[in-house]
Amino acid sequence: MKMLINVPESVVPDALRGMAAAHPELTVDVEHRVVVRRDAPVAGKVGLVSGGGSGHEPLHGGFVGHGMLDAACPGEVFTSPVPDQMVRAAAAVDSGKGVLFVVKNYTGDVLNFNMAAELAEDEGIQVASVLVNDDVAVTDSTFTAGRRGTGATLFVEKIAGAAAEEGAPLERVEALARRVNEVSRSFGVALAACTTPAKGSPTFDLPAGELELGVGIHGEPGRERRAMMTSGEIADFAVDAVLTDLQPGGPVLLLVNGAGGTPLLELYGFTAEVHRVLGERGVPVARTLVGNYVTSLDMAGASVTLCRADEEILRLWDAPVQTPGLRWGR
């Protein structure tokens, strides 16, 4: 497999150096692997910190900036960052109003963020944590106890980030983040496996003519494998899986997320099918976001995330945001 890299061992620091060069509005600590908005800490504002393995870009470093995260901690590819990174990030963004950790439900992330929260508290930083566990594909899977954290992470970071930007206190930002997670569900599909720089070959075997329904963002197995389906058939299956668990009963935010190797031409066609299915189910779509936001390196495929949206969630979703990976209204 050909890759635009130097050597596998330097992929993450090389990418961080490139991020620093491209985004002077960020402070990128390549040595300690922490990405911070340059104006942090913002006086009177709750700090938002997230992180996880690299390979899911723009998650999380690409979501650092006004209206979203204050800092992110990238680990090695598909590997959790370490507690020292998280504590350093918390200290960099704490204005005295506390810090919220946004944690995807993967065992390494959960353990390390829990340890970091204890260490940060020892340093006098008030920390709250929210666990994102929106994936309805499986209850337990590789690297996870319970549902996996996937596309809803973007909804949590955007909506909680907007509330923090308005000056909401830590208790309110935490409660809102929890509520967004509780009313969000995701389901993903893989058409081809991804390739990690260290391995240099596909991370799992997916024969030609087959797809994986419910795949995880590290290539964890989903519900089943089937012969290749049309875009419309995949939309029917994915939306049914989400709505069986979510029961929206009102307007929703929709994220049609590319896994990293699927062109926008295909994602927009898939979005049309998802809208068709939601229309047939009587589910109004308030907002739609399409693109590669929570990726899995070069995996071909997509995921569908729905968030039940009330007036407050819609208002905070529409609030200005300016990050490398998401920006509007500013």
Side-chain angles (χ1 to χ4, degrees), residues 179-190:
R179 178 155 64 90
V180 171
N181 177 66
E182 288 166 1
V183 297
S184 299
R185 298 291 186 273
S186 297
F187 190 87
V189 178

Side-chain angles (χ1 to χ4, degrees), residues 192-313:
C194 65
T195 300
T196 62
K199 191 170 188 287
S201 60
T203 54
F204 60 94
D205 177 40
L206 187 56
E210 294 186 8
L211 77 167
E212 180 89 30
L213 294 166
V215 72
I217 58 173
H218 306 109
E220 307 97 325
R223 290 188 179 184
E224 61 179 290
R225 289 189 178 182
R226 286 191 182 181
M228 187 59 194
M229 301 157 65
T230 66
S231 176
E233 291 168 339
I234 295 170
D236 284 324
F237 193 101
V239 173
D240 180 71
V242 171
L243 292 182
T244 297
D245 199 288
L246 182 62
Q247 300 296 318
V252 296
L253 302 177
L254 166 64
L255 169 64
V256 175
N257 173 67
T262 299
L264 274 171
L265 180 69
E266 296 176 32
L267 290 178
Y268 277 120
F270 182 57
T271 299
E273 296 296 341
V274 172
H275 269 257
R276 172 188 59 78
V277 179
L278 290 171
E280 292 171 353
R281 299 295 188 87
V283 179
V285 179
R287 305 286 187 274
T288 302
L289 182 65
V290 183
N292 290 295
Y293 294 101
V294 183
T295 62
S296 185
L297 294 170
D298 59 342
M299 182 185 288
S303 60
V304 174
T305 303
L306 298 179
C307 173
R308 195 162 59 224
D310 57 23
E311 289 185 7
E312 182 179 32
I313 285 176

Side-chain angles (χ1 to χ4, degrees), residues 16 19 33 57 93-94 104 159 175 182 191 201 323 327:
L16 290 175
M19 176 173 274
R33 301 192 182 186
E57 290 73 23
V93 305
D94 180 36
K104 300 188 304 302
I159 293 163
E182 288 166 1
L191 310 182
S201 60
T323 71
R327 59 179 61 205

Side-chain angles (χ1 to χ4, degrees), residues 61-80:
F63 296 147
V64 174
H66 178 93
M68 216 159 171
L69 295 176
D70 293 273
C73 310
E76 290 292 338
V77 173
F78 292 178
T79 302
S80 172

